[in-house]
Amino acid sequence: MKVKTTDTLFKHLSACINAFERHVDCRRFLTGARWRPRSLARLARAGEWSVILEGTPDYIDPFGHVWDWKTASSTYNGHEAANWMIQPTSYTYLATKVSQQAIHDFTYAIAVKPHGDMQFIDVTRTEKDWHWLSRIAIGALMMTRTMLDQPWPVNHAHYLCSPHWCAHWTDCRGKYLQEREEP
């Protein structure tokens, strides 16, 4: 069984690497590259408290465009990426603060397993998106400050809330319910 798992891993890895070589012009990333170390920027302030955003964008190209490399078992939904994904908002904000120039463009470059098809999703984030991210952060900060001795609110409206994906399942939702099989 272990050999089969290893074979599958290497097939997926090979397919994804080949897809990147075919569809991503890596020569463009060799000149003018701005690989960033882990960066910090203040996102929000509430009284004496601050929320600091920390992260490392995969790559910022010479044109001030943030790239993020992904592998996935299925294609991403472009509409969801444009409207709800928080990573483009976080990384364009962080890149803007660190570089001290406006960076609004973000691209997901996704190698889809098992065949390594490539999907590119371009997302634009503006100051309005960054203000909304700040509002989310302040809400989380205020909730955290007022709930020090209280149970944390839970939300199980996502497939990651399962024993397969969450190490805390047994002590959280798993105390009450069993995961249901698909119909």
Side-chain angles (χ1 to χ4, degrees):
M1 185 73 156
K2 192 172 189 175
V3 172
K4 184 176 182 181
T5 303
T6 304
D7 289 346
T8 301
L9 170 78
F10 283 116
K11 285 179 186 175
H12 287 213
L13 179 62
S14 178
C16 291
I17 290 171
N18 289 334
F20 270 97
E21 288 178 350
R22 276 192 320 273
H23 299 288
V24 177
D25 184 3
C26 292
R27 294 167 302 188
R28 173 179 171 188
F29 302 116
L30 298 177
T31 58
R34 290 192 291 166
W35 301 94
R36 295 275 184 211
R38 194 153 202 74
S39 303
L40 299 156
R42 180 182 310 184
L43 176 63
R45 182 178 219 135
E48 63 203 48
W49 293 81
S50 293
V51 176
I52 306 297
L53 185 63
E54 180 179 2
T56 307
D58 286 350
Y59 180 72
I60 303 172
D61 74 17
F63 307 103
H65 190 114
V66 179
W67 288 79
D68 192 72
W69 321 116
K70 298 281 189 204
T71 59
S73 59
S74 62
T75 58
Y76 278 32
N77 180 312
H79 181 74
E80 286 180 11
N83 287 287
W84 296 294
M85 288 187 167
I86 203 158
Q87 186 178 14
T89 310
S90 301
Y91 279 171
T92 56
Y93 176 83
L94 188 60
T96 293
K97 292 301 179 184
V98 170
S99 68
Q100 297 180 352
Q101 67 177 12
I103 296 179
H104 298 284
D105 298 318
F106 180 100
T107 297
Y108 284 109
I110 307 150
V112 183
K113 301 177 281 187
H115 305 294
D117 298 329
M118 285 300 297
Q119 180 185 19
F120 295 94
I121 299 177
D122 297 318
V123 178
T124 300
R125 294 294 192 254
T126 67
E127 289 81 3
K128 289 182 180 183
D129 296 291
W130 302 334
H131 289 300
W132 177 244
L133 181 62
S134 175
R135 167 61 183 86
I136 294 168
I138 288 172
L141 170 64
M142 300 313 285
M143 182 176 64
T144 302
R145 290 185 57 215
T146 59
M147 295 189 63
L148 295 176
D149 297 323
Q150 303 297 317
W152 193 256
V154 292
N155 177 358
H156 69 275
H158 198 276
Y159 73 92
L160 293 177
C161 182
S162 77
H164 179 74
W165 294 106
C166 181
H168 303 284
W169 168 265
T170 306
D171 297 323
C172 186
R173 189 173 182 207
K175 272 183 172 177
Y176 304 93
L177 304 169
Q178 292 183 357
E179 185 173 36
R180 294 178 178 94
E181 297 294 322
E182 290 186 35

